Protein backbone atom coordinates (compact mmCIF):
# COMPACT_ATOMS: atom_id res chain seq x y z
CA UNK A 1 0.00 0.00 0.00
CA UNK A 2 1.19 3.50 -0.83
CA UNK A 3 -0.22 6.88 0.05
CA UNK A 4 0.03 9.35 -2.79
CA UNK A 5 -1.05 12.98 -3.18
CA UNK A 6 -4.66 13.64 -4.13
CA UNK A 7 -3.60 15.39 -7.35
CA UNK A 8 -3.97 15.04 -11.10
CA UNK A 9 -0.30 13.96 -11.35
CA UNK A 10 -0.86 10.91 -9.14
CA UNK A 11 -1.90 8.46 -11.89
CA UNK A 12 1.52 8.87 -13.52
CA UNK A 13 3.36 8.30 -10.24
CA UNK A 14 1.25 5.23 -9.45
CA UNK A 15 1.67 3.81 -12.98
CA UNK A 16 5.46 3.98 -12.64
CA UNK A 17 5.39 2.17 -9.28
CA UNK A 18 2.92 -0.48 -10.47
CA UNK A 19 4.84 -1.10 -13.71
CA UNK A 20 8.03 -1.69 -11.71
CA UNK A 21 6.22 -4.12 -9.37
CA UNK A 22 4.70 -6.06 -12.28
CA UNK A 23 7.99 -6.15 -14.20
CA UNK A 24 9.80 -7.55 -11.15
CA UNK A 25 7.08 -10.21 -10.94
CA UNK A 26 7.59 -11.08 -14.65
CA UNK A 27 4.10 -10.16 -15.78
CA UNK A 28 3.74 -9.91 -19.55
CA UNK A 29 3.49 -6.54 -21.27
CA UNK A 30 -0.17 -6.75 -22.42
CA UNK A 31 -1.23 -7.47 -18.82
CA UNK A 32 0.93 -4.62 -17.53
CA UNK A 33 -0.75 -2.30 -20.03
CA UNK A 34 -4.21 -3.42 -18.88
CA UNK A 35 -3.29 -3.01 -15.22
CA UNK A 36 -1.94 0.50 -15.83
CA UNK A 37 -5.14 1.51 -17.65
CA UNK A 38 -7.35 0.23 -14.84
CA UNK A 39 -5.29 1.83 -12.08
CA UNK A 40 -5.12 5.16 -13.94
CA UNK A 41 -8.91 5.24 -14.34
CA UNK A 42 -9.45 4.32 -10.69
CA UNK A 43 -7.19 7.13 -9.50
CA UNK A 44 -8.55 9.68 -11.99
CA UNK A 45 -12.09 8.90 -10.76
CA UNK A 46 -11.02 9.36 -7.15
CA UNK A 47 -9.39 12.71 -7.90
CA UNK A 48 -12.36 13.90 -9.98
CA UNK A 49 -15.16 12.74 -7.69
CA UNK A 50 -13.67 11.85 -4.31
CA UNK A 51 -12.25 13.57 -1.27
CA UNK A 52 -8.66 13.46 0.00
CA UNK A 53 -7.82 12.07 3.42
CA UNK A 54 -6.99 14.63 6.11
CA UNK A 55 -3.35 14.61 5.03
CA UNK A 56 -4.25 15.36 1.40
CA UNK A 57 -3.56 11.85 0.14
CA UNK A 58 -5.33 8.72 -1.10
CA UNK A 59 -4.52 5.07 -0.47
CA UNK A 60 -3.44 2.93 -3.43
CA UNK A 61 -2.63 -0.77 -3.20
CA UNK A 62 -1.83 -3.73 -5.40
CA UNK A 63 -0.94 -7.35 -4.83
CA UNK A 64 -0.72 -10.65 -6.64
CA UNK A 65 -2.67 -13.47 -5.00
CA UNK A 66 -3.57 -16.86 -6.49
CA UNK A 67 -3.03 -15.75 -10.08
CA UNK A 68 -4.96 -12.50 -9.65
CA UNK A 69 -3.70 -8.94 -9.68
CA UNK A 70 -5.69 -7.01 -7.08
CA UNK A 71 -5.82 -3.22 -7.35
CA UNK A 72 -7.51 -0.79 -4.97
CA UNK A 73 -7.87 2.97 -4.60
CA UNK A 74 -9.42 4.48 -1.49
CA UNK A 75 -10.33 8.10 -0.81
CA UNK A 76 -12.21 9.71 2.08
CA UNK A 77 -15.30 10.64 0.04
CA UNK A 78 -18.69 9.00 0.01
CA UNK A 79 -20.00 8.27 -3.44
CA UNK A 80 -23.70 7.48 -3.54
CA UNK A 81 -23.75 5.60 -6.83
CA UNK A 82 -21.04 4.27 -9.09
CA UNK A 83 -22.40 2.84 -12.32
CA UNK A 84 -20.53 2.57 -15.63
CA UNK A 85 -21.92 4.88 -18.30
CA UNK A 86 -22.44 3.64 -21.83
CA UNK A 87 -19.74 4.67 -24.28
CA UNK A 88 -20.78 7.72 -26.28
CA UNK A 89 -18.67 9.00 -29.16
CA UNK A 90 -19.52 12.61 -28.30
CA UNK A 91 -18.70 12.37 -24.58
CA UNK A 92 -15.43 13.90 -23.46
CA UNK A 93 -15.43 12.21 -20.06
CA UNK A 94 -17.31 9.96 -17.71
CA UNK A 95 -16.06 6.68 -19.17
CA UNK A 96 -13.72 5.61 -16.36
CA UNK A 97 -15.96 2.95 -14.84
CA UNK A 98 -16.89 1.64 -18.29
CA UNK A 99 -13.20 1.23 -19.09
CA UNK A 100 -12.56 -0.47 -15.75
CA UNK A 101 -15.49 -2.85 -16.26
CA UNK A 102 -14.28 -3.78 -19.77
CA UNK A 103 -10.63 -4.32 -18.88
CA UNK A 104 -10.83 -5.81 -15.36
CA UNK A 105 -12.24 -9.27 -14.80
CA UNK A 106 -14.12 -8.06 -11.72
CA UNK A 107 -14.53 -4.79 -9.85
CA UNK A 108 -16.43 -3.58 -6.80
CA UNK A 109 -16.97 -0.62 -4.52
CA UNK A 110 -16.71 -0.66 -0.72
CA UNK A 111 -18.18 2.33 1.13
CA UNK A 112 -17.30 1.30 4.70
CA UNK A 113 -14.30 3.68 5.02
CA UNK A 114 -14.77 6.40 2.43
CA UNK A 115 -14.89 5.03 -1.11
CA UNK A 116 -12.67 2.10 -2.03
CA UNK A 117 -12.76 0.82 -5.61
CA UNK A 118 -11.25 -2.62 -6.12
CA UNK A 119 -10.45 -4.42 -9.36
CA UNK A 120 -9.16 -7.89 -10.19
CA UNK A 121 -7.29 -8.94 -13.31
CA UNK A 122 -6.56 -12.60 -13.99
CA UNK A 123 -2.88 -13.06 -14.78
CA UNK A 124 -3.25 -16.36 -16.65
Amino acid sequence: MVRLPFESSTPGIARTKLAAFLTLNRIDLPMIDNALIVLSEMIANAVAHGTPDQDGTMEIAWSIDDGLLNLSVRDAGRCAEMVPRPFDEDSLGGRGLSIISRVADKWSVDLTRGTCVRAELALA
Side-chain angles (χ1 to χ4, degrees), residues 74-86:
R74 189 193 64 75
D75 68 80
R78 287 289 205 169
C79 185
E81 183 179 3
M82 293 183 67
V83 177
R85 293 184 190 165

Side-chain angles (χ1 to χ4, degrees), residues 8 10-16 18 33-47 60 71 73 96 99-100:
S8 60
T10 296
I13 297 166
R15 279 193 306 269
T16 300
L18 178 59
D33 289 342
N34 286 343
L36 298 179
I37 289 167
V38 171
L39 187 65
S40 292
E41 292 298 334
M42 292 167 70
I43 295 169
N45 283 346
V47 171
I60 302 166
L71 305 171
V73 174
I99 292 168
I100 292 167

Side-chain angles (χ1 to χ4, degrees), residues 73-122:
V73 174
R74 189 193 64 75
D75 68 80
R78 287 289 205 169
C79 185
E81 183 179 3
M82 293 183 67
V83 177
R85 293 184 190 165
F87 280 97
D88 177 354
E89 291 180 17
D90 298 327
S91 178
L92 297 176
R95 294 183 223 158
L97 290 178
S98 293
I99 292 168
I100 292 167
S101 68
R102 285 190 181 192
V103 177
D105 294 295
K106 182 177 167 184
W107 70 279
S108 63
V109 179
D110 178 355
L111 299 173
T112 56
R113 272 187 349 139
T115 298
C116 182
V117 177
R118 294 186 177 102
E120 289 182 359
L121 289 86

Side-chain angles (χ1 to χ4, degrees), residues 17-68:
K17 291 179 178 293
L18 178 59
F21 170 80
L22 294 173
T23 300
L24 287 172
N25 282 279
R26 299 180 180 193
I27 305 303
D28 64 14
L29 287 176
M31 178 54 63
I32 291 174
D33 289 342
N34 286 343
L36 298 179
I37 289 167
V38 171
L39 187 65
S40 292
E41 292 298 334
M42 292 167 70
I43 295 169
N45 283 346
V47 171
H49 306 291
T51 303
D53 286 340
Q54 290 180 347
D55 62 357
T57 65
M58 68 178 85
E59 184 180 290
I60 302 166
W62 50 77
S63 64
I64 296 174
D65 300 300
D66 297 326
L68 294 173

